[in-house]
Amino acid sequence: MIFHLRFYYYVVKNFYVFPRRKLKTIFEPTKMVTFTSLLEMDFNMHKSNSTYFTDMDISRTDLLTKNLYKFYRNYEDPSLPKLKWYQFIYSPLGSVGVTFKRELIAYRPYTVESRILGWTSKWLFVITVFKTGKTINAYGIAKYVFKQQRKTIPPEQIIAFEGLLTEEAKKQNELTQKYLSDSLELEDIIKLVG
């Protein structure tokens, strides 16, 4: 129940409550500050490993609904039948992996930062970093595919629809390609984003 409230809080906030912010780049991050509550602790009084995935879900929801606002709200593939009122474009999660570096202590605040890392012809990759101050506690990579009905929408087409497919964005994406195609070597990828 709490997960759904947190999830829809960001959807409603980013789609309906606040006007869309002007982005300079598709790689602009989102940040949220939270803490490990009693229900998220393991026996060592640290954040339980499984709860990292919940925070990542919420952080990525904030990121995608902000950075791809125009796409989610207005995009329709002209080669497909018009969407009915109850249909929508959706973005299923393809996979996610996490590397744990340092524990997160109970009741101490930490930051969860997500950003788009890059894309291929099918997948959009998002990196999420957990930090206390400047210390990286954990990070993970997730990949998404975007669908209208059963048709896959290439990420580059989505970014172009947002008006953010600049030459600089293409160059940044090229830098990540060797990491994205080499089974996501997380230790190397984290060096790209600091």
Side-chain angles (χ1 to χ4, degrees):
M1 174 72 174
I2 298 300
F3 172 84
H4 293 93
L5 289 173
R6 292 176 73 196
F7 176 87
Y8 284 110
Y9 165 79
Y10 284 104
V11 172
V12 170
K13 182 184 96 165
N14 293 336
F15 281 173
Y16 303 106
V17 177
F18 293 108
R20 188 202 177 176
R21 62 187 178 145
K22 181 72 176 162
L23 298 178
K24 294 177 183 167
T25 173
I26 193 65
F27 302 106
E28 197 166 312
T30 57
K31 295 180 184 179
M32 68 179 197
V33 177
T34 187
F35 66 93
T36 303
S37 67
L38 178 64
L39 296 176
E40 295 178 314
M41 289 182 215
D42 62 17
F43 290 111
N44 297 315
M45 303 302 282
H46 301 150
K47 183 173 178 64
S48 175
N49 293 349
S50 63
T51 64
Y52 284 82
F53 293 93
T54 302
D55 281 353
M56 289 174 67
D57 281 344
I58 301 304
S59 180
R60 291 190 311 259
T61 299
D62 187 27
L63 174 76
L64 294 180
T65 56
K66 277 184 181 172
N67 290 26
L68 304 180
Y69 171 89
K70 183 178 167 188
F71 165 72
Y72 280 116
R73 300 279 295 174
N74 302 316
Y75 182 85
E76 282 196 44
D77 189 317
S79 68
L80 295 173
K82 189 167 176 59
L83 291 171
K84 295 180 174 51
W85 68 270
Y86 56 85
Q87 294 178 316
F88 53 89
I89 289 175
Y90 60 103
S91 43
L93 184 64
S95 67
V96 64
V98 177
T99 297
F100 301 103
K101 305 287 279 181
R102 289 184 175 81
E103 69 279 356
L104 286 168
I105 309 288
Y107 294 106
R108 290 203 189 149
Y110 60 91
T111 303
V112 185
E113 182 177 306
S114 289
R115 73 178 71 213
I116 291 172
L117 181 62
W119 60 88
T120 62
S121 60
K122 179 179 181 181
W123 300 104
L124 181 80
F125 293 84
V126 175
I127 185 164
T128 302
V129 182
F130 293 77
K131 293 180 182 177
T132 47
K134 294 186 178 178
T135 302
I136 294 176
N137 299 84
Y139 51 90
I141 304 286
K143 67 180 185 179
Y144 285 92
V145 64
F146 294 85
K147 300 275 189 181
Q148 180 177 334
Q149 294 160 6
R150 298 195 62 79
K151 183 177 180 181
T152 298
I153 306 163
E156 193 164 284
Q157 188 175 326
I158 295 166
I159 296 164
F161 188 79
E162 288 289 335
L164 296 169
L165 189 62
T166 62
E167 287 305 314
E168 187 180 318
K170 289 179 186 176
K171 285 179 188 171
Q172 178 67 32
N173 185 51
E174 282 177 28
L175 289 174
T176 63
Q177 289 308 302
K178 91 179 188 85
Y179 300 103
L180 301 180
S181 59
D182 288 347
S183 301
L184 297 179
E185 293 298 329
L186 295 180
E187 291 290 339
D188 291 329
I189 288 174
I190 196 64
K191 293 172 189 170
L192 288 174
V193 296

Short mmCIF file of all heavy atoms in Angstrom, two decimals, residues 46-97:
data_model
loop_
_atom_site.label_atom_id
_atom_site.label_comp_id
_atom_site.label_asym_id
_atom_site.label_seq_id
_atom_site.Cartn_x
_atom_site.Cartn_y
_atom_site.Cartn_z
N HIS A 46 20.63 -2.32 9.76
CA HIS A 46 20.98 -1.65 8.51
C HIS A 46 19.80 -1.76 7.56
O HIS A 46 18.89 -2.58 7.77
CB HIS A 46 22.19 -2.31 7.83
CG HIS A 46 23.42 -2.31 8.66
ND1 HIS A 46 24.37 -3.30 8.57
CD2 HIS A 46 23.86 -1.45 9.61
CE1 HIS A 46 25.35 -3.05 9.42
NE2 HIS A 46 25.06 -1.94 10.05
N LYS A 47 19.83 -0.99 6.50
CA LYS A 47 18.79 -1.09 5.47
C LYS A 47 18.84 -2.48 4.86
O LYS A 47 19.89 -2.94 4.42
CB LYS A 47 19.02 -0.01 4.41
CG LYS A 47 17.94 0.02 3.33
CD LYS A 47 18.16 1.22 2.42
CE LYS A 47 17.13 1.26 1.30
NZ LYS A 47 15.77 1.44 1.78
N SER A 48 17.70 -3.15 4.81
CA SER A 48 17.62 -4.49 4.24
C SER A 48 17.86 -4.42 2.73
O SER A 48 17.39 -3.50 2.05
CB SER A 48 16.24 -5.07 4.53
OG SER A 48 16.09 -6.31 3.88
N ASN A 49 18.57 -5.41 2.21
CA ASN A 49 18.92 -5.41 0.78
C ASN A 49 17.71 -5.28 -0.13
O ASN A 49 17.75 -4.58 -1.13
CB ASN A 49 19.69 -6.69 0.43
CG ASN A 49 21.05 -6.74 1.08
OD1 ASN A 49 21.52 -5.76 1.65
ND2 ASN A 49 21.68 -7.90 1.02
N SER A 50 16.63 -5.96 0.21
CA SER A 50 15.46 -5.95 -0.67
C SER A 50 14.82 -4.58 -0.79
O SER A 50 14.20 -4.26 -1.80
CB SER A 50 14.43 -6.97 -0.18
OG SER A 50 13.97 -6.62 1.11
N THR A 51 14.97 -3.74 0.23
CA THR A 51 14.32 -2.43 0.22
C THR A 51 15.03 -1.43 -0.71
O THR A 51 14.45 -0.40 -1.04
CB THR A 51 14.21 -1.84 1.63
OG1 THR A 51 15.52 -1.59 2.15
CG2 THR A 51 13.45 -2.78 2.56
N TYR A 52 16.26 -1.74 -1.11
CA TYR A 52 16.93 -0.89 -2.10
C TYR A 52 16.13 -0.86 -3.40
O TYR A 52 16.04 0.16 -4.06
CB TYR A 52 18.35 -1.40 -2.38
CG TYR A 52 19.34 -1.08 -1.30
CD1 TYR A 52 19.44 -1.87 -0.16
CD2 TYR A 52 20.21 0.00 -1.42
CE1 TYR A 52 20.37 -1.61 0.83
CE2 TYR A 52 21.15 0.28 -0.44
CZ TYR A 52 21.22 -0.53 0.69
OH TYR A 52 22.13 -0.25 1.67
N PHE A 53 15.56 -2.00 -3.76
CA PHE A 53 14.82 -2.08 -5.02
C PHE A 53 13.56 -1.22 -4.98
O PHE A 53 13.18 -0.63 -6.00
CB PHE A 53 14.49 -3.54 -5.33
CG PHE A 53 15.71 -4.36 -5.64
CD1 PHE A 53 16.36 -5.07 -4.64
CD2 PHE A 53 16.22 -4.40 -6.92
CE1 PHE A 53 17.50 -5.80 -4.92
CE2 PHE A 53 17.36 -5.13 -7.21
CZ PHE A 53 18.00 -5.84 -6.21
N THR A 54 12.92 -1.13 -3.82
CA THR A 54 11.74 -0.28 -3.69
C THR A 54 12.13 1.19 -3.88
O THR A 54 11.47 1.92 -4.63
CB THR A 54 11.09 -0.46 -2.31
OG1 THR A 54 10.73 -1.84 -2.15
CG2 THR A 54 9.85 0.40 -2.17
N ASP A 55 13.20 1.61 -3.22
CA ASP A 55 13.67 3.00 -3.39
C ASP A 55 14.06 3.28 -4.83
O ASP A 55 13.82 4.37 -5.35
CB ASP A 55 14.85 3.29 -2.47
CG ASP A 55 14.44 3.57 -1.04
OD1 ASP A 55 13.23 3.67 -0.76
OD2 ASP A 55 15.35 3.70 -0.19
N MET A 56 14.67 2.29 -5.48
CA MET A 56 15.04 2.47 -6.88
C MET A 56 13.81 2.64 -7.76
O MET A 56 13.78 3.48 -8.65
CB MET A 56 15.89 1.29 -7.37
CG MET A 56 17.29 1.27 -6.78
SD MET A 56 18.21 -0.22 -7.23
CE MET A 56 18.41 0.02 -8.99
N ASP A 57 12.77 1.83 -7.51
CA ASP A 57 11.52 1.96 -8.27
C ASP A 57 10.95 3.37 -8.15
O ASP A 57 10.56 3.98 -9.15
CB ASP A 57 10.47 0.97 -7.77
CG ASP A 57 10.68 -0.44 -8.27
OD1 ASP A 57 11.44 -0.62 -9.24
OD2 ASP A 57 10.08 -1.36 -7.69
N ILE A 58 10.91 3.88 -6.94
CA ILE A 58 10.32 5.20 -6.70
C ILE A 58 11.18 6.29 -7.35
O ILE A 58 10.67 7.21 -8.00
CB ILE A 58 10.14 5.46 -5.19
CG1 ILE A 58 9.23 4.40 -4.56
CG2 ILE A 58 9.62 6.87 -4.95
CD1 ILE A 58 7.86 4.26 -5.19
N SER A 59 12.49 6.19 -7.19
CA SER A 59 13.39 7.18 -7.76
C SER A 59 13.33 7.18 -9.29
O SER A 59 13.30 8.24 -9.93
CB SER A 59 14.83 6.89 -7.30
OG SER A 59 15.73 7.82 -7.84
N ARG A 60 13.25 5.99 -9.89
CA ARG A 60 13.15 5.92 -11.36
C ARG A 60 11.81 6.44 -11.85
O ARG A 60 11.72 7.03 -12.92
CB ARG A 60 13.39 4.48 -11.83
CG ARG A 60 14.82 4.00 -11.64
CD ARG A 60 15.06 2.68 -12.34
NE ARG A 60 14.06 1.69 -12.06
CZ ARG A 60 14.19 0.69 -11.18
NH1 ARG A 60 15.31 0.57 -10.48
NH2 ARG A 60 13.22 -0.18 -11.00
N THR A 61 10.76 6.22 -11.06
CA THR A 61 9.44 6.77 -11.43
C THR A 61 9.51 8.29 -11.48
O THR A 61 9.02 8.91 -12.43
CB THR A 61 8.37 6.32 -10.41
OG1 THR A 61 8.28 4.90 -10.44
CG2 THR A 61 7.01 6.94 -10.72
N ASP A 62 10.14 8.89 -10.48
CA ASP A 62 10.31 10.34 -10.47
C ASP A 62 11.10 10.79 -11.69
O ASP A 62 10.72 11.73 -12.40
CB ASP A 62 11.00 10.76 -9.17
CG ASP A 62 11.08 12.27 -9.00
OD1 ASP A 62 10.21 13.00 -9.54
OD2 ASP A 62 11.99 12.74 -8.29
N LEU A 63 12.20 10.10 -11.98
CA LEU A 63 13.05 10.45 -13.12
C LEU A 63 12.30 10.37 -14.45
O LEU A 63 12.29 11.33 -15.23
CB LEU A 63 14.27 9.52 -13.17
CG LEU A 63 15.17 9.70 -14.40
CD1 LEU A 63 16.02 10.95 -14.25
CD2 LEU A 63 16.03 8.48 -14.63
N LEU A 64 11.67 9.24 -14.71
CA LEU A 64 11.04 9.05 -16.02
C LEU A 64 9.83 9.94 -16.22
O LEU A 64 9.60 10.45 -17.32
CB LEU A 64 10.67 7.57 -16.22
CG LEU A 64 11.86 6.61 -16.30
CD1 LEU A 64 11.37 5.18 -16.50
CD2 LEU A 64 12.84 6.99 -17.39
N THR A 65 9.05 10.17 -15.16
CA THR A 65 7.88 11.05 -15.33
C THR A 65 8.28 12.51 -15.46
O THR A 65 7.52 13.31 -16.01
CB THR A 65 6.87 10.87 -14.18
OG1 THR A 65 7.51 11.08 -12.93
CG2 THR A 65 6.23 9.49 -14.22
N LYS A 66 9.46 12.88 -14.99
CA LYS A 66 9.96 14.25 -15.19
C LYS A 66 10.65 14.39 -16.54
O LYS A 66 10.34 15.27 -17.32
CB LYS A 66 10.96 14.62 -14.08
CG LYS A 66 10.32 15.10 -12.81
CD LYS A 66 11.39 15.52 -11.82
CE LYS A 66 10.74 15.99 -10.53
NZ LYS A 66 11.76 16.22 -9.49
N ASN A 67 11.61 13.50 -16.81
CA ASN A 67 12.44 13.66 -18.00
C ASN A 67 11.74 13.24 -19.29
O ASN A 67 12.13 13.67 -20.37
CB ASN A 67 13.75 12.89 -17.84
CG ASN A 67 14.67 13.54 -16.81
OD1 ASN A 67 14.21 14.22 -15.91
ND2 ASN A 67 15.96 13.32 -16.95
N LEU A 68 10.71 12.39 -19.19
CA LEU A 68 9.98 11.94 -20.38
C LEU A 68 8.52 12.36 -20.31
O LEU A 68 7.63 11.69 -20.85
CB LEU A 68 10.10 10.41 -20.53
CG LEU A 68 11.52 9.86 -20.60
CD1 LEU A 68 11.50 8.35 -20.74
CD2 LEU A 68 12.34 10.49 -21.71
N TYR A 69 8.27 13.48 -19.68
CA TYR A 69 6.91 13.98 -19.46
C TYR A 69 6.12 14.11 -20.76
O TYR A 69 5.01 13.60 -20.89
CB TYR A 69 7.00 15.34 -18.76
CG TYR A 69 5.69 16.08 -18.67
CD1 TYR A 69 4.85 15.88 -17.59
CD2 TYR A 69 5.30 16.98 -19.66
CE1 TYR A 69 3.64 16.56 -17.50
CE2 TYR A 69 4.10 17.66 -19.58
CZ TYR A 69 3.27 17.44 -18.50
OH TYR A 69 2.09 18.10 -18.41
N LYS A 70 6.70 14.78 -21.73
CA LYS A 70 6.00 15.03 -22.99
C LYS A 70 5.67 13.72 -23.69
O LYS A 70 4.58 13.54 -24.22
CB LYS A 70 6.88 15.91 -23.88
CG LYS A 70 6.27 16.31 -25.20
CD LYS A 70 7.24 17.21 -25.95
CE LYS A 70 6.81 17.38 -27.40
NZ LYS A 70 7.82 18.09 -28.18
N PHE A 71 6.61 12.79 -23.67
CA PHE A 71 6.41 11.48 -24.29
C PHE A 71 5.22 10.74 -23.65
O PHE A 71 4.31 10.29 -24.36
CB PHE A 71 7.68 10.64 -24.16
CG PHE A 71 7.48 9.18 -24.44
CD1 PHE A 71 7.27 8.72 -25.73
CD2 PHE A 71 7.50 8.26 -23.40
CE1 PHE A 71 7.07 7.38 -25.98
CE2 PHE A 71 7.30 6.92 -23.64
CZ PHE A 71 7.10 6.48 -24.93
N TYR A 72 5.23 10.62 -22.34
CA TYR A 72 4.14 9.89 -21.67
C TYR A 72 2.79 10.56 -21.86
O TYR A 72 1.77 9.90 -21.96
CB TYR A 72 4.42 9.77 -20.17
CG TYR A 72 5.39 8.66 -19.80
CD1 TYR A 72 6.61 8.96 -19.23
CD2 TYR A 72 5.07 7.32 -20.01
CE1 TYR A 72 7.50 7.96 -18.87
CE2 TYR A 72 5.95 6.32 -19.66
CZ TYR A 72 7.17 6.64 -19.10
OH TYR A 72 8.03 5.64 -18.75
N ARG A 73 2.79 11.88 -21.90
CA ARG A 73 1.52 12.60 -21.98
C ARG A 73 0.96 12.75 -23.40
O ARG A 73 -0.24 12.80 -23.58
CB ARG A 73 1.68 14.00 -21.36
CG ARG A 73 2.09 14.01 -19.91
CD ARG A 73 0.95 13.77 -18.99
NE ARG A 73 0.02 14.89 -19.12
CZ ARG A 73 -1.15 14.95 -18.54
NH1 ARG A 73 -1.54 13.98 -17.78
NH2 ARG A 73 -1.94 15.97 -18.70
N ASN A 74 1.86 12.83 -24.41
CA ASN A 74 1.40 13.23 -25.74
C ASN A 74 1.75 12.29 -26.90
O ASN A 74 1.24 12.48 -28.00
CB ASN A 74 1.96 14.63 -26.08
CG ASN A 74 1.54 15.66 -25.07
OD1 ASN A 74 0.40 15.70 -24.66
ND2 ASN A 74 2.48 16.49 -24.66
N TYR A 75 2.63 11.34 -26.68
CA TYR A 75 3.11 10.52 -27.80
C TYR A 75 2.05 9.50 -28.24
O TYR A 75 1.42 8.86 -27.42
CB TYR A 75 4.39 9.78 -27.42
CG TYR A 75 4.95 8.96 -28.55
CD1 TYR A 75 5.79 9.54 -29.49
CD2 TYR A 75 4.63 7.62 -28.69
CE1 TYR A 75 6.32 8.79 -30.54
CE2 TYR A 75 5.14 6.87 -29.74
CZ TYR A 75 5.98 7.46 -30.65
OH TYR A 75 6.49 6.73 -31.70
N GLU A 76 1.91 9.37 -29.55
CA GLU A 76 1.14 8.27 -30.15
C GLU A 76 1.79 7.92 -31.47
O GLU A 76 2.08 8.80 -32.27
CB GLU A 76 -0.33 8.67 -30.36
CG GLU A 76 -1.14 8.62 -29.09
CD GLU A 76 -2.64 8.62 -29.37
OE1 GLU A 76 -3.09 7.89 -30.28
OE2 GLU A 76 -3.34 9.36 -28.68
N ASP A 77 2.00 6.66 -31.70
CA ASP A 77 2.57 6.20 -32.96
C ASP A 77 1.51 6.31 -34.04
O ASP A 77 0.45 5.68 -33.93
CB ASP A 77 3.04 4.74 -32.80
CG ASP A 77 3.84 4.26 -34.00
OD1 ASP A 77 3.43 4.55 -35.14
OD2 ASP A 77 4.86 3.60 -33.79
N PRO A 78 1.77 7.09 -35.09
CA PRO A 78 0.75 7.28 -36.13
C PRO A 78 0.45 6.02 -36.92
O PRO A 78 -0.59 5.92 -37.57
CB PRO A 78 1.36 8.37 -37.02
CG PRO A 78 2.81 8.38 -36.72
CD PRO A 78 2.98 7.86 -35.33
N SER A 79 1.34 5.01 -36.87
CA SER A 79 1.10 3.77 -37.62
C SER A 79 0.19 2.80 -36.86
O SER A 79 -0.19 1.77 -37.40
CB SER A 79 2.43 3.08 -37.94
OG SER A 79 3.04 2.61 -36.73
N LEU A 80 -0.16 3.14 -35.62
CA LEU A 80 -1.02 2.28 -34.81
C LEU A 80 -2.38 2.94 -34.62
O LEU A 80 -2.51 4.16 -34.73
CB LEU A 80 -0.38 2.04 -33.43
CG LEU A 80 0.93 1.26 -33.42
CD1 LEU A 80 1.52 1.25 -32.02
CD2 LEU A 80 0.73 -0.16 -33.92
N PRO A 81 -3.41 2.14 -34.30
CA PRO A 81 -4.72 2.74 -34.00
C PRO A 81 -4.61 3.70 -32.82
O PRO A 81 -3.78 3.50 -31.91
CB PRO A 81 -5.59 1.54 -33.63
CG PRO A 81 -4.88 0.34 -34.17
CD PRO A 81 -3.43 0.68 -34.22
N LYS A 82 -5.41 4.74 -32.82
CA LYS A 82 -5.40 5.74 -31.75
C LYS A 82 -5.70 5.07 -30.41
O LYS A 82 -6.55 4.18 -30.32
CB LYS A 82 -6.45 6.82 -32.05
CG LYS A 82 -6.37 8.01 -31.12
CD LYS A 82 -7.21 9.15 -31.69
CE LYS A 82 -7.25 10.33 -30.76
NZ LYS A 82 -5.96 10.89 -30.44
N LEU A 83 -4.98 5.49 -29.38
CA LEU A 83 -5.19 4.93 -28.05
C LEU A 83 -6.58 5.30 -27.53
O LEU A 83 -7.02 6.43 -27.68
CB LEU A 83 -4.13 5.46 -27.07
CG LEU A 83 -2.70 4.98 -27.29
CD1 LEU A 83 -1.75 5.75 -26.40
CD2 LEU A 83 -2.57 3.50 -27.03
N LYS A 84 -7.22 4.33 -26.92
CA LYS A 84 -8.51 4.60 -26.29
C LYS A 84 -8.26 5.23 -24.93
O LYS A 84 -7.14 5.25 -24.43
CB LYS A 84 -9.30 3.30 -26.15
CG LYS A 84 -9.69 2.70 -27.50
CD LYS A 84 -10.47 1.42 -27.34
CE LYS A 84 -10.99 0.89 -28.66
NZ LYS A 84 -10.07 0.75 -29.72
N TRP A 85 -9.29 5.77 -24.29
CA TRP A 85 -9.14 6.52 -23.04
C TRP A 85 -8.50 5.68 -21.93
O TRP A 85 -7.83 6.20 -21.06
CB TRP A 85 -10.48 7.08 -22.59
CG TRP A 85 -11.46 6.02 -22.16
CD1 TRP A 85 -12.36 5.38 -22.95
CD2 TRP A 85 -11.61 5.46 -20.86
NE1 TRP A 85 -13.08 4.46 -22.23
CE2 TRP A 85 -12.63 4.49 -20.93
CE3 TRP A 85 -10.99 5.69 -19.63
CZ2 TRP A 85 -13.04 3.75 -19.83
CZ3 TRP A 85 -11.39 4.94 -18.54
CH2 TRP A 85 -12.41 3.98 -18.65
N TYR A 86 -8.66 4.36 -21.97
CA TYR A 86 -8.13 3.50 -20.91
C TYR A 86 -6.78 2.89 -21.28
O TYR A 86 -6.19 2.15 -20.49
CB TYR A 86 -9.14 2.39 -20.58
CG TYR A 86 -9.52 1.55 -21.79
CD1 TYR A 86 -8.75 0.47 -22.19
CD2 TYR A 86 -10.65 1.87 -22.54
CE1 TYR A 86 -9.08 -0.28 -23.29
CE2 TYR A 86 -11.00 1.12 -23.65
CZ TYR A 86 -10.22 0.04 -24.02
OH TYR A 86 -10.55 -0.70 -25.12
N GLN A 87 -6.26 3.19 -22.46
CA GLN A 87 -4.96 2.67 -22.88
C GLN A 87 -3.88 3.73 -22.63
O GLN A 87 -4.16 4.92 -22.57
CB GLN A 87 -5.00 2.31 -24.36
CG GLN A 87 -5.92 1.15 -24.68
CD GLN A 87 -5.97 0.87 -26.17
OE1 GLN A 87 -6.08 1.78 -26.99
NE2 GLN A 87 -5.88 -0.41 -26.52
N PHE A 88 -2.67 3.26 -22.51
CA PHE A 88 -1.56 4.17 -22.28
C PHE A 88 -0.26 3.54 -22.77
O PHE A 88 -0.18 2.32 -22.97
CB PHE A 88 -1.45 4.53 -20.80
CG PHE A 88 -1.40 3.31 -19.90
CD1 PHE A 88 -0.20 2.73 -19.57
CD2 PHE A 88 -2.57 2.76 -19.39
CE1 PHE A 88 -0.14 1.61 -18.75
CE2 PHE A 88 -2.54 1.63 -18.58
CZ PHE A 88 -1.31 1.06 -18.26
N ILE A 89 0.74 4.37 -22.93
CA ILE A 89 2.08 3.89 -23.24
C ILE A 89 2.67 3.38 -21.93
O ILE A 89 2.50 3.99 -20.88
CB ILE A 89 2.92 5.03 -23.83
CG1 ILE A 89 2.39 5.32 -25.23
CG2 ILE A 89 4.39 4.70 -23.83
CD1 ILE A 89 3.00 6.48 -25.91
N TYR A 90 3.34 2.27 -21.99
CA TYR A 90 3.90 1.71 -20.76
C TYR A 90 5.37 1.38 -20.95
O TYR A 90 5.86 1.26 -22.08
CB TYR A 90 3.09 0.50 -20.28
CG TYR A 90 3.04 -0.66 -21.25
CD1 TYR A 90 3.82 -1.79 -21.05
CD2 TYR A 90 2.20 -0.63 -22.37
CE1 TYR A 90 3.76 -2.86 -21.92
CE2 TYR A 90 2.14 -1.69 -23.25
CZ TYR A 90 2.92 -2.81 -23.02
OH TYR A 90 2.86 -3.86 -23.89
N SER A 91 6.08 1.25 -19.84
CA SER A 91 7.52 1.02 -19.87
C SER A 91 7.90 -0.08 -18.88
O SER A 91 8.24 0.21 -17.74
CB SER A 91 8.28 2.31 -19.58
OG SER A 91 7.69 3.00 -18.50
N PRO A 92 7.81 -1.34 -19.32
CA PRO A 92 8.17 -2.43 -18.42
C PRO A 92 9.67 -2.47 -18.12
O PRO A 92 10.50 -2.13 -18.98
CB PRO A 92 7.74 -3.69 -19.17
CG PRO A 92 7.39 -3.28 -20.54
CD PRO A 92 7.32 -1.80 -20.61
N LEU A 93 9.98 -2.87 -16.91
CA LEU A 93 11.36 -3.03 -16.47
C LEU A 93 11.90 -4.34 -17.03
O LEU A 93 11.30 -5.40 -16.84
CB LEU A 93 11.39 -3.03 -14.94
CG LEU A 93 12.74 -3.07 -14.26
CD1 LEU A 93 13.55 -1.82 -14.56
CD2 LEU A 93 12.55 -3.21 -12.75
N GLY A 94 13.05 -4.27 -17.72
CA GLY A 94 13.64 -5.47 -18.31
C GLY A 94 14.53 -6.23 -17.35
O GLY A 94 14.51 -7.45 -17.29
N SER A 95 15.35 -5.51 -16.60
CA SER A 95 16.22 -6.14 -15.61
C SER A 95 16.76 -5.05 -14.69
O SER A 95 16.71 -3.86 -15.00
CB SER A 95 17.37 -6.89 -16.27
OG SER A 95 18.26 -5.97 -16.90
N VAL A 96 17.30 -5.49 -13.56
CA VAL A 96 17.92 -4.57 -12.61
C VAL A 96 18.99 -5.33 -11.84
O VAL A 96 18.85 -6.51 -11.55
CB VAL A 96 16.86 -3.96 -11.65
CG1 VAL A 96 16.21 -5.01 -10.79
CG2 VAL A 96 17.44 -2.85 -10.81
N GLY A 97 20.09 -4.65 -11.58
CA GLY A 97 21.17 -5.24 -10.78
C GLY A 97 21.71 -4.20 -9.83
O GLY A 97 21.74 -3.01 -10.14
#
